[in-house]
Every structure is written in C-alpha cells, then in structure tokens.
Amino acid sequence: MTTYTSRTEIPDHEKWNLTHIYPHHDAWKEDFNQVVSDIHTLGSYNDNIHNAEQFYGFLSEQEALMQRYTKLYVFAMLQNDEDTRQSSSQTLLDQVQQLGVKISSATSFFMPYLLELEEETLKRYIEEVPALQYFEKDLLESYRYKTHVLTKEKEEVLSQLGDALASPKTTFGMINNADIVFGDVTNENGEKVPLTRGMFAKIMESADRDKRKEAYKAYYKPYVQMKNTIASTLSSAVKNNVTLAKMRNYPSALEKALFGDNVPVSVYENLIETTKKNIEPLHRYMKVRKEKLGVEELRAYDLSAPLVKDVREDISYEEAYQTMLESLKPLGDEYITQLKAFKDAGVIDVRETPGKRSGAYNIGLYGVHPYVLLNHRDNLDSLFTLAHEMGHCMHSHYSSLYQPRISASYSIFVAEVASTVNEVLLIHHLLDTTTDKKMRKHLLNHFIDQFKGTFFTQVMFAEFEKTVHEKVENGESLNAEVFNEMYEKLFRTYNGDDLVFEEEVKFGWSRIPHFYRPFYVYKYATGYVSAIHIAERLLKGDSETLEAYLTFLQSGSSEYPLDLLKATGVDLLSPEPVESAMKTFARLVDEFGEE
C-alpha cells in the first residue's frame, strides 16, 4: 500500500475535482454574496404574500436560493475534508454554516403562514399560476403537519432556541471528541502509551487476548469515570425530545420522529419484536465464536477478534474497483457502464493523506454529480467500503437524473438500501468465486460480523431509545444507574448466555453519539433487511425485481419510503422481511460453524 504525505503526490484521477462545482474561489464568493442578498429578498415576503403570484415568487426564489446554498455548502465541506487542518477551509465552512442559520430564520414564517391558508385557497393559487404545480405535492404534504406547527411567533422562538436545544448533543460531542482521555496500553516495546480510538479498533482485532483486554479496560475507563456527566447530557437530550413532541402535539417522541417518513409505530415495534423472536442464531454464533477462539469464557473484548488467521488481504484500488464491477453485474449493463465512468471522472477521493477526514461517505449534488470520500487501504474492508459508498453514489446519480430537484434527495430511511445491496452482491460474488477454504470462512465471518453490527446492534440500540423515552414520558427520572440497568438487560437479551459480562458492558450507552439524534439507528436495521431481501432475489436473476429496484433508485423522495420499498417487494409493515433476513443469518452461522 502506497503512503502519501501530500495530496500533490496523488494522481488526478484518484482525487475528486471541486472545479466541477466552482471553477475558482471568486465564483464561490460571488454565489455567497448572492445568497446574502437573496435572504433579504426572502425575508421581505413575511406578511407580504397576498396572492398567487407572490406565493409563487417566494417558493421559486427560495428554491433557487437553496440550490445555490447547497453548492456553497458542499464545496466548503469537501474542501475542508481534504485537509481539516487548514484554517482557510474551516473559515469557509463556518461562514456557510452561519449563512444556513440566517436562511432558516428568514424563512421560518412560511410554514405557519401556509398552514393558516385554507386548502381551497391554495388550490385556487395553483389554478391561477400553473407553475405552482411543481410545488403542489410538497405543499399539500405540509398540511399533514397542520396540528404540529405552532404560531409564527412561537416558531420564531423555537428557531432562535435551536442552539440551546442542541446543547446536550454539542456537549457530548465535546466530551467524546475533545475531552476524553483514554487509559494507557502497552506498545510493542513494552512501554505504556495513551490509547487512541484508532489504536483501540486495531487492538480489538488483534489475536493477542491480553492486549485486547487491556485496551478494552483503558477505552471504557473515562466513560465510567464520567458516567454522571454523560448521563446528564443524555437525559437532557431525551427530555428535550419529549418536550418538543408534547409542544408540537405528538402522542410521543417516537411518533414525532417517525412522522416525516409517514412510518407507523408498528414498523418500529415489529422490527424489535420479530428480531427478538428470532434471536437464537445470534446466541448460537456467540457459542461458535467461543469455540473457534478456544476460550473458557467469551468476553466482550473477544467479539472482534479474528476467527480465521493468515488470510491474504492485499487488494489494490484497481483490483478492488474491478472486483466490485464484476460483483454488481446482476444490476445490469447501464449500471456497470455508469460505475466505470465514475472511476476517473473527478467523483472519488481515494487516498488517505495527513489531515484528511477519516472514514468514508457519499454526498449527492444536484446539477453537478455525487462526490465520494474514501481512505482506501488496499484490504478487504476497503473493498467493501468502496462497494458501499458507490451504492450511495449510484442512488444519488439516478435520483438526480430522473427527478426534479424538489424530489431528488432520498430519505435517510431508504439511504442504506442501495449501499447494502451492493455489499450483499459483493459478498456473494466473493463466496462464489473463491476456491480457498480459509478465505471462504473469512468471508463468512466478515458477513456475519457485518450483519451483527448493522442489524442486531442497531435493533438493540433502537429498543434502548424507545425504553428511555417512554420512562420520561411516564414521569420517571433518568440517571447513570437507570441507563446501566436498561443497557445491561438488553445486552444480555441480545447476546445470550455464552458471553460473560465485564463490568464495563453496562456503560455501553455512554459512548453512542447516535443517541443524540433520536430514533435514527432503527433505519440502519430496516435498510439492511430490505437490502438482503432485494439482493437475494437479484441473485436469482429475477428480472421484475431488477426493474423495480432500478426504478427505486430513480425515485428519490417522490413517494413515502415504505411505498418505495413496497414497490420492490419489501413490505416492512409485515414481519416477513425481518424473518427472511434472520433465516439468511442462521444459514451463515450454520456454515461457518461447520468444521
């Protein structure tokens, strides 16, 4: 694997090209100044929309402004992520984020105004100005929120309180990213050194059990020490969610969170109940893991240890891209042709360099093209990350190609489907083409662990969130002891009796950033089972599923998420997709457990 010390060393075809957004900084500044001016124009519509022409004027100018603002934001974000150490990029991103707050404030009057407007008046406006048909579906959708939007004055107050209401999340972010100091671990030279997050992930995959235990204890040490402070931030976040739900007339915080996607509570409850009814294969996997590791007691620090040793994982980026293309052939020639074209088109930022944002992501930009960030490391994980992010990339591409701007962005509820379909097709391709028994075991183990992390763990988190919010809604208090008790009980239920508990396990709740974004994690699980369902039918050569799936990728947010998935044959109102995924998991565990 080549190590780069600077972006200048990387060939151009392995870097994204931001000149596709703005040819130079002066063009960015020009658009920035235009948005500043347009904010004033939008604000002047407050109390001044009295007819169809003015109504259309506000909506069309708002959309033009948001298209321009999105370009500004994406450019600033991508440039900052190239090298997060650059103060000039940080300044650019900060400026555009402040601009976003001003836009929100200037337009906060519109929703209360719209919902005071009689539906008959709105329909008359649309007849008078036919161009309003472009906005019609979204406008009528807004009436669903009628009982949940407050008066103009109250909405303005809530808009101004945004930073204060977000403070528990901000505070936890500062604790978790800036202030946490982990304990010490022993390095290769026998010296004690401070543990870092990057080191922790690597050590937990080490074959040395003593090192894993030492790192596990060191990692949890500050969370245990700060349990009361973190419990306070999480408790405040939950209380804020419950209070806002009450203020906006929702029956519960959960129903508020599900309302935007028009998802009934039964989908959330069905996910948890069906998973727990079919949990036995996960318990069986814990038994298999214990046997494969040859330990008397399976501990929490054994859950990421390698079960198959000495497997070749040297996969160059070129080889990874070619393997991905081969694996995705069930998606058809057009899909593969577009994927090939993206490789050298300034879309993907491939290599890891000092200061570059870690991890990987895709972001769609309407009117330009998607952008994908990678930190490719020439191994199996990087191959899967590539397939995952290019799934998102193709979803963004197709949605932008086939939808108008207003419906081109897809909901987070369906966001993980395209990425996971790609990963499932890839794992099946690798399993079908490898002749090495050891590699096959390694791939099976990779699939099982991915399934565990993306599905079972997220369902457990979803149940934890539901329980803690219900406690506050029932007038009960939350503190570290309450969180510990709930988390430990759930961890035991999901992971079974073969796992011997460390004292630290019960503090797992204290390190999860997603708990500050209410009822979000369940979407990983529903997306995962949906993808398994679709991919397994694609692998059977089902032409109807292929056509339906490509239509799904082209649909953006033109329909509610459940309806989009139902058109592909996935009905999340029923237990069937979850049960089907559980059967797949059971088969994987059975094969992996064979000698």
Side-chain angles (χ1 to χ4, degrees):
M1 177 181 150
T2 309
T3 303
Y4 293 94
T5 58
S6 162
R7 287 184 66 80
T8 56
E9 300 171 12
I10 301 171
D12 285 346
H13 69 274
E14 290 191 353
K15 291 186 283 192
W16 55 33
N17 190 337
L18 300 190
T19 64
H20 295 173
I21 311 176
Y22 289 108
H24 43 71
H25 273 266
D26 286 348
W28 186 91
K29 192 68 182 170
E30 210 173 288
D31 259 5
F32 185 91
N33 291 334
Q34 184 62 54
V35 170
V36 171
S37 170
D38 290 345
I39 289 172
H40 293 297
T41 305
L42 278 183
S44 70
Y45 279 94
N46 191 357
D47 291 329
N48 285 312
I49 301 178
H50 306 297
N51 56 47
E53 289 290 345
Q54 291 167 339
F55 191 79
Y56 175 70
F58 172 81
L59 289 172
S60 58
E61 287 184 43
Q62 181 187 42
E63 180 169 71
L65 177 146
M66 288 312 298
Q67 184 150 1
R68 190 171 276 125
Y69 174 75
T70 303
K71 281 180 67 180
L72 288 168
Y73 183 87
V74 171
F75 181 88
M77 185 188 93
L78 297 180
Q79 185 174 282
N80 183 63
D81 288 352
E82 288 178 1
D83 189 347
T84 57
R85 303 168 302 178
Q86 293 291 328
S87 58
S88 57
S89 300
Q90 292 167 14
T91 301
L92 216 62
L93 186 58
D94 187 52
Q95 285 175 340
V96 81
Q97 285 170 336
Q98 288 179 36
L99 199 63
V101 173
K102 289 175 182 172
I103 293 169
S104 177
S105 182
T107 57
S108 65
F109 75 89
F110 184 72
M111 187 61 90
Y113 157 79
L114 174 63
L115 297 184
E116 285 175 9
L117 198 67
E118 293 294 328
E119 201 167 331
E120 292 71 26
T121 306
L122 174 61
K123 287 176 178 173
R124 178 166 53 79
Y125 281 178
I126 293 168
E127 281 177 22
E128 290 175 19
V129 180
L132 276 168
Q133 289 171 12
Y134 174 79
F135 300 101
E136 183 174 7
K137 190 173 181 183
D138 274 18
L139 290 168
L140 292 173
E141 161 71 6
S142 298
Y143 281 103
R144 275 210 311 130
Y145 289 84
K146 193 151 192 168
T147 57
H148 307 300
V149 173
L150 309 177
T151 63
K152 187 168 73 173
E153 291 75 21
K154 286 179 180 176
E155 287 293 340
E156 176 64 24
V157 169
L158 275 183
S159 170
Q160 308 242 345
L161 282 172
D163 281 349
L165 291 170
S167 65
K169 179 181 179 180
T170 306
T171 303
F172 176 75
M174 293 303 292
I175 292 169
N176 205 35
N177 298 317
D179 294 344
I180 282 275
V181 178
F182 299 110
D184 291 341
V185 292
T186 311
N187 67 11
E188 296 79 11
N189 303 321
E191 302 160 336
K192 288 286 185 182
V193 294
L195 180 69
T196 65
R197 285 186 201 281
M199 285 167 63
F200 176 70
K202 286 178 185 171
I203 294 171
M204 295 315 287
E205 292 176 358
S206 160
D208 187 328
R209 196 179 194 214
D210 290 336
K211 280 194 178 300
R212 295 200 306 269
K213 180 179 180 180
E214 182 186 42
Y216 183 83
K217 300 286 183 185
Y219 179 76
Y220 270 94
K221 187 178 179 182
Y223 291 109
V224 176
Q225 287 173 337
M226 300 183 75
K227 62 185 178 185
N228 294 315
T229 303
I230 299 174
S232 176
T233 62
L234 182 54
S235 175
S236 297
V238 173
K239 286 173 186 172
N240 283 353
N241 299 336
V242 170
T243 301
L244 283 171
K246 278 182 187 169
M247 285 177 70
R248 292 197 177 280
N249 303 308
Y250 290 97
S252 68
L254 175 58
E255 283 168 89
K256 177 180 180 294
L258 301 181
F259 188 82
D261 286 324
N262 202 25
V263 172
V265 173
S266 61
V267 168
Y268 198 97
E269 292 173 339
N270 167 58
L271 174 70
I272 293 169
E273 287 164 16
T274 309
T275 301
K276 287 165 82 172
K277 280 178 189 170
N278 295 275
I279 202 76
E280 192 275 331
L282 180 58
H283 294 174
R284 194 159 76 248
Y285 173 57
M286 292 299 182
K287 196 181 289 288
V288 170
R289 177 166 270 282
K290 179 181 170 183
E291 289 167 2
K292 297 270 185 191
L293 284 173
V295 294
E296 285 186 26
E297 294 179 336
L298 187 70
R299 300 274 181 169
Y301 47 78
D302 296 324
L303 297 184
S304 300
L307 300 182
V308 184
K309 298 184 177 74
D310 305 321
V311 177
R312 183 191 83 87
E313 274 204 11
D314 184 22
I315 306 167
S316 71
Y317 177 65
E318 295 295 326
E319 185 186 346
Y321 213 95
Q322 189 55 42
T323 302
M324 174 184 70
L325 291 172
E326 289 292 324
S327 72
L328 300 181
K329 281 183 176 176
L331 294 174
D333 293 342
E334 184 193 328
Y335 190 99
I336 296 298
T337 301
Q338 184 58 58
L339 258 188
K340 284 180 181 174
F342 275 148
K343 182 171 178 286
D344 301 324
V347 169
I348 312 168
D349 208 73
V350 179
R351 302 295 175 181
E352 187 174 19
T353 47
K356 182 178 173 181
R357 175 174 162 164
S358 62
Y361 64 72
N362 160 80
I363 187 165
L365 183 56
Y366 195 81
V368 184
H369 56 66
Y371 281 90
V372 174
L373 178 135
L374 301 173
N375 281 278
H376 196 83
R377 295 190 176 189
D378 295 353
N379 58 20
L380 188 68
D381 279 343
S382 288
L383 167 58
F384 276 95
T385 299
L386 173 66
H388 182 101
E389 296 306 334
M390 296 314 291
H392 286 308
C393 179
M394 291 297 288
H395 195 176
S396 296
H397 164 72
Y398 276 123
S399 287
S400 291
L401 193 62
Y402 286 88
Q403 293 295 319
R405 185 190 177 280
I406 198 166
S407 56
S409 297
Y410 45 84
S411 161
I412 289 170
F413 189 93
V414 298
E416 293 304 322
V417 174
S419 53
T420 308
V421 163
N422 279 16
E423 286 198 71
V424 176
L425 293 177
L426 172 61
I427 191 80
H428 279 285
H429 170 76
L430 294 172
L431 286 167
D432 289 345
T433 54
T434 187
T435 54
D436 184 330
K437 285 185 178 179
K438 190 179 276 190
M439 174 55 88
R440 184 174 180 83
K441 287 283 188 187
H442 181 61
L443 290 167
L444 285 168
N445 193 206
H446 179 95
F447 199 178
I448 289 167
D449 283 341
Q450 181 209 51
F451 210 125
K452 181 178 178 294
T454 313
F455 181 76
F456 289 107
T457 300
Q458 306 309 321
V459 176
M460 184 184 79
F461 286 169
E463 186 171 0
F464 177 81
E465 281 192 277
K466 183 173 183 286
T467 309
V468 296
H469 281 82
E470 284 171 350
K471 278 193 177 293
V472 172
E473 284 161 352
N474 292 333
E476 298 174 51
S477 59
L478 297 175
N479 53 46
E481 198 175 316
V482 173
F483 287 137
N484 280 358
E485 187 182 323
M486 280 191 287
Y487 195 86
E488 182 178 356
K489 184 180 177 185
L490 285 171
F491 202 91
R492 288 182 185 278
T493 300
Y494 280 79
N495 291 285
D497 297 330
D498 274 282
L499 191 63
V500 177
F501 276 68
E502 305 300 307
E503 180 64 18
E504 290 86 353
V505 162
K506 66 175 71 166
F507 293 93
W509 58 269
S510 65
R511 60 179 186 83
I512 310 297
H514 278 112
F515 289 159
Y516 296 83
R517 188 173 182 177
F519 304 108
Y520 174 82
V521 293
Y522 88 100
K523 297 174 187 180
Y524 287 120
T526 52
Y528 196 77
V529 296
S530 300
I532 296 266
H533 210 71
I534 292 165
E536 289 188 344
R537 293 209 309 279
L538 289 171
L539 287 164
K540 290 172 183 170
D542 185 332
S543 58
E544 281 186 21
T545 296
L546 175 58
E547 188 179 341
Y549 179 60
L550 292 175
T551 301
F552 164 81
L553 294 181
Q554 297 161 7
S555 297
S557 57
S558 58
E559 303 290 342
Y560 290 126
L562 290 183
D563 295 330
L564 290 173
L565 287 171
K566 197 163 186 180
T568 70
V570 178
D571 182 6
L572 289 170
L573 288 165
S574 83
E576 198 269 331
V578 179
E579 288 171 348
S580 176
M582 296 299 92
K583 287 172 186 169
T584 298
F585 184 77
R587 287 195 299 271
L588 292 168
V589 172
D590 286 346
E591 184 181 346
F592 184 69
E594 291 170 4
E595 286 305 320

